[in-house]
Structure formats: structure tokens, C-alpha cells
């Protein structure tokens, strides 16, 4: 190489080094707290832990994210308010928590919205999921990614649910959520809204027959001690939202925003994988603990879908028609996945 060529190469390398240093300078030393609602070994908290590691690696240790599992930073609504006020930096709640301030997130609670996790991924990561996240900034929040809490199933102490009629008459705990209440009324069960902290005692005393949750929840709450049967009804899908306080977001540099966004998406893929692995493991552990777990025949699942379809139809009539059209087109797009 000629001397002039060496000079040009050296100049380019020096410029690249300076640009890299400038880019690095846009990431300040910060400490960010991220709260979750579940124990440290739950897939949601494991996702938050992975997020902290990814951010540390991408920022060369300048951005320090500390994770606080198991409601260590307070109840869900308290943490959500703290984000809006700028007192807390990040939070990873269920979509149901957000529905109180952005009603459109209630659409994620519609019965039998999806049939499998692959469809859920395509729906949440596509235009519909982005449309929901776009509604958060005006409420003081920024959504970085949608993680997973999994498909919800019914456990009960009376009998396996093998057909629609087996749900009828069950006194079942549900979330304090109008769509869930209407869903189980449509199935001719007796839904009882109740905080989850009261559920074990109510099941143990036989004040309740049943509850509905992902199997991971049944395992971690030791519901196998008070519930004999688990039936894979898959009647709803739980979504988790990675949130940042908009007050913090507005103070971040473009590089810091890109770093947090990329880290949340990378952690999302890890979190979903862990969630599905743990769900399979939970099923085996529940069986080993004496629980009887059964799948529901596709024809019976179709009957359940048909029974609750009026609930979805009524709910959809109360939302922006453009958003409903987007949801319907996206459901059609993902319907053949998995």
C-alpha cells in the first residue's frame, strides 16, 4: 500500500474511533429501577433480569438497571402511578393493569383471541400491538415491548372439563374484569371477582369450585393442594407490557432510547422462550403432584368459542371502528400460524 493509502486508511480509522466515542458519550451513567409483580424465578422476572444484563452489555456498564421482583416497589397500580409521575423508571405489568387508563388494552382480554403462542407473537409484534403501544405516551408511559404471561386455563375441584356443559354451574374466581365476568356468564358458570390473594383459601374452604390462570400460576400458588383437575381451555392469553416513564424517556438521548428499545425486544424473545419452557415443566410438575390434566377436544373448544362470541361482539362495538378493523384483519393474517 502506498503512503498516501496508509494515510487515508489511518484517517478513516481515526474518524471511526472518534465517531464511536461520540456515540458512546450519548449514554450517560444512570441507574434505572424496573419492577415486576411476580417472584424472581417467574418468567416475567427472569425476562426483567435478562433485560438488565443486555442493557449492561450494550452500554458498557454505563446504564445500570436494577430489577425489583415480587412487588418490591409496591402494588401494580402504585407502580404504574409512580411511572406516570416520574418517580419510578420502569415497570412490567399485565395489560389488564393498563386497561384502567388506556381502555383499548381491554381488547387483549377478548375470549379466544388466539389459539397458540405463535399466533400471539405475530399479533402482538405486528401493527395491532404497535397501535396499542402508541396510545401510551399521552398517558405518561412508553411501551417498549409485549412479553408473555401465557394461555389461561381452568382448574377446579369437581370434574375434568371435557365439554361445554362441564363448565356450567362452576363457581369460578375471575379477575375483576367485565369481559372475564361476561365470558364465564356466557359459559353458564358463576363468576366471582376476587383478588388473587384470597383465592387459595376460598378454594380450600370450597367457597369456590374453580379458578382460571396460566398453569405456572397454579404451580407457584400450590393450587394442586386444593384443585384436582386442570383443563386446557386456553380461553384467554395473558400479555405483559414493558413500560418506561415518559418523563424519563423524554430526558434520554436518542442513543439511550435505541439501546433500551433494542434490549427490551431482545429480552422479549428470551422471556417468551422461558415462559413456554416453564409452562411445559409446570404441567409435568402438576401431574406429579397428583393433578389430573386434560386437553379439550377441538370440537368442544369450538363450542366454547361460539358460546362466548356474543361477548366479544358486544365489546368490539364499543371501540374505535378503525382499531377494530385493524384487529380483525390482523387476526385473519395470523389465523393460519401454528
Amino acid at each position: 500500500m502506498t503512503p498516501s493509502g496508509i494515510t487515508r486508511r489511518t484517517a478513516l480509522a481515526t474518524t471511526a474511533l472518534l465517531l464511536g466515542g461520540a456515540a458512546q458519550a450519548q449514554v450517560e451513567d444512570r441507574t434505572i429501577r424496573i419492577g415486576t409483580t411476580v417472584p424472581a424465578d417467574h418468567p416475567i422476572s427472569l425476562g426483567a433480569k435478562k433485560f438488565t444484563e443486555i442493557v449492561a452489555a450494550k452500554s458498557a456498564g454505563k446504564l445500570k438497571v436494577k430489577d425489583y421482583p415480587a412487588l418490591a416497589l409496591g402494588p401494580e397500580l402504585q407502580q404504574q402511578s409512580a411511572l406516570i409521575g416520574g418517580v419510578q423508571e420502569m415497570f412490567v405489568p399485565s395489560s389488564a393493569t393498563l386497561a384502567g387508563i388506556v381502555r383499548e388494552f381491554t381488547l387483549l382480554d377478548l375470549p379466544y383471541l388466539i389459539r397458540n403462542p405463535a399466533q400471539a407473537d405475530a399479533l402482538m409484534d405486528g401493527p395491532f400491538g404497535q397501535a396499542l403501544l402508541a396510545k401510551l405516551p399521552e398517558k405518561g408511559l412508553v411501551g417498549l415491548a409485549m412479553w408473555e404471561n401465557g394461555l389461561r386455563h381452568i382448574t377446579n375441584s369437581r370434574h375434568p372439563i371435557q365439554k361445554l356443559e362441564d363448565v356450567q354451574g362452576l363457581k369460578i374466581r375471575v379477575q375483576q374484569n367485565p369481559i372475564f365476568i361476561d365470558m364465564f356468564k356466557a359459559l353458564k358458570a358463576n363468576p366471582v371477582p376476587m383478588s388473587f390473594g384470597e383465592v387459595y383459601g376460598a378454594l380450600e374452604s370450597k367457597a369456590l369450585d374453580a379458578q382460571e390462570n396460566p398453569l405456572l400460576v397454579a404451580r407457584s400458588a400450590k393450587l394442586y393442594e386444593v384443585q384436582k383437575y386442570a383443563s386446557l381451555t386456553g380461553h384467554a392469553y395473558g400479555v405483559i407490557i414493558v413500560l418506561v416513564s415518559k418523563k424519563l424517556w423524554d430526558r434520554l438521548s436518542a442513543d439511550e432510547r435505541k439501546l433500551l428499545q433494542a434490549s427490551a425486544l431482545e429480552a422479549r424473545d428470551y422471556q417468551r422462550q422461558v415462559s413456554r419452557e416453564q409452562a411445559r415443566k409446570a404441567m409435568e410438575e402438576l401431574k406429579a403432584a397428583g393433578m389430573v390434566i386434560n386437553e379439550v377436544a377441538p370440537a368442544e373448544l369450538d363450542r366454547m368459542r361460539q358460546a362466548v362470541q356474543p361477548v366479544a361482539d358486544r365489546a368490539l362495538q364499543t371501540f374505535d371502528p378503525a382499531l377494530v378493523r385493524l384487529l380483525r384483519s390482523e387476526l385473519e393474517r395470523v389465523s393460519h400460524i401454528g
Side-chain angles (χ1 to χ4, degrees), residues 71 75-76 152 172-177 181 191-203 208 210-213 217 221 223:
L71 296 172
E76 283 187 304
R152 303 177 75 92
I172 182 169
R173 178 267 176 179
V174 298
Q175 301 177 86
Q176 296 178 357
N177 177 324
I181 293 169
V192 180
M194 181 184 293
S195 67
F196 189 72
E198 302 175 64
V199 171
Y200 185 98
L203 293 171
L208 290 176
Q211 65 86 51
E212 54 81 40
N213 259 303
V217 174
L223 296 186

Side-chain angles (χ1 to χ4, degrees), residues 51-165:
F51 175 77
T52 71
E53 296 168 357
I54 295 169
V55 170
K58 288 183 181 295
S59 69
K62 298 193 78 173
L63 277 179
K64 301 173 182 64
V65 183
K66 297 184 65 178
D67 59 308
Y68 291 83
L71 296 172
L73 296 179
E76 283 187 304
L77 292 179
Q78 178 180 314
Q79 292 196 54
Q80 180 174 282
S81 296
L83 255 68
I84 294 170
V87 178
Q88 184 175 322
E89 296 80 20
M90 295 189 69
F91 182 37
V92 192
S94 71
S95 61
T97 303
L98 284 174
I101 59 169
V102 181
R103 184 171 167 271
E104 288 81 358
F105 277 89
T106 306
L107 290 168
L108 297 176
D109 295 326
L110 291 176
Y112 292 103
L113 194 66
I114 54 94
R115 295 172 186 255
N116 58 63
Q119 289 181 5
D121 292 351
L123 182 64
M124 303 309 156
D125 300 342
F128 176 70
Q130 292 305 306
L132 291 184
L133 295 181
K135 294 184 176 295
L136 290 171
E138 65 186 41
K139 301 296 184 180
L141 302 167
V142 175
L144 298 184
M146 291 187 171
W147 292 1
E148 171 179 282
N149 200 25
L151 286 165
R152 303 177 75 92
H153 307 292
I154 298 173
T155 71
N156 81 96
S157 59
R158 290 172 54 182
H159 48 240
I161 294 169
Q162 296 176 325
K163 58 185 185 297
L164 172 62
E165 288 76 12

Side-chain angles (χ1 to χ4, degrees), residues 212-266:
E212 54 81 40
N213 259 303
L215 291 184
L216 271 172
V217 174
R219 182 194 68 179
S220 62
K222 298 184 178 180
L223 296 186
Y224 52 82
E225 296 177 345
V226 290
Q227 298 274 269
K228 178 68 174 177
Y229 305 100
S231 302
L232 305 184
T233 50
H235 53 273
Y237 176 79
V239 182
I240 304 298
I241 316 294
V242 181
L243 297 176
V244 182
S245 167
K246 189 172 185 297
K247 290 191 174 181
L248 169 65
W249 191 254
D250 290 343
R251 297 197 303 269
L252 297 177
S253 69
D255 289 337
E256 289 169 327
R257 292 181 184 183
K258 289 177 184 176
L259 191 155
L260 290 178
Q261 178 72 80
S263 299
L265 293 176
E266 188 174 333

